[in-house]
Amino acid sequence: MSENKDLCPCGSGKKYGECCEPIIKGKTKALTAEALMRARYTSYVKQEIDFILTSCEEGDGIAEIDKKATEEWSRESTWNGLQILRTEQGGENDEEGVVEFIADYTFHQMKDKHHEIAGFKKINGEWKYVAGNIITTTVKRDGRKIGRNEPCPCGSGKKYKQCCGR
């Protein structure tokens, strides 16, 4: 069973230390846009938020990322898997690429799928996330509905209506 724990969260079937970890830790560069996308997903699972920030194209867009909120989302979510739907270009010899993916997760008992068509660009020989178009989906509750006056499931000690239920 421990062998399963060693597998990379990105779903490649490889061990974490041989897949996304070297990219996240800066020991190697992602060779393709898809490899960067897989490493970005894995960094959410492993709560390596600095990698999320440094793997973005620098400029106005990076200022829009709320690091604290991203850390909270990463930490408080249960990550259920990544599905790569398609790629366009994004190979080792390309300069741009597109990766369409679905990241399946549960946040505060709400099961959701983040479906995105993400754009990537090679800048100074390194793949960077540029922008994405989010495909909206219906959020489904995982478990029973929480009453407004019940304790919030996030563990804050507040009533649900005064915390995450606002």
Side-chain angles (χ1 to χ4, degrees), residues 31-132:
L31 297 178
T32 65
E34 181 179 337
L36 181 61
M37 180 62 246
R38 288 182 179 280
R40 286 175 57 83
Y41 171 81
T42 298
S43 64
Y44 279 105
V45 176
K46 298 287 189 177
Q47 299 163 23
E48 296 276 0
I49 304 309
D50 287 339
F51 179 77
I52 296 295
L53 301 175
T54 60
S55 63
C56 290
E57 177 183 31
E58 291 182 23
D60 293 338
I62 198 160
E64 295 173 15
I65 297 174
D66 181 337
K67 184 176 180 180
K68 187 176 178 184
T70 303
E71 286 172 339
E72 179 182 318
W73 183 45
S74 170
R75 184 178 58 254
E76 296 181 13
S77 293
T78 301
W79 299 93
N80 305 316
L82 174 68
Q83 182 182 10
I84 303 293
L85 300 178
R86 69 181 173 91
T87 59
E88 290 177 18
Q89 298 182 313
E92 290 184 48
N93 298 319
D94 293 319
E95 295 297 317
E96 293 184 351
V98 172
V99 179
E100 182 176 1
F101 68 94
I102 296 175
D104 189 325
Y105 67 97
T106 305
F107 183 69
H108 294 178
Q109 297 184 346
M110 297 293 281
K111 190 169 176 65
D112 199 0
K113 292 181 185 281
H114 178 89
H115 183 176
E116 183 175 334
I117 300 172
F120 295 86
K121 188 189 307 183
K122 203 180 275 184
I123 300 171
N124 298 324
E126 191 171 343
W127 282 106
K128 297 286 186 176
Y129 172 83
V130 177

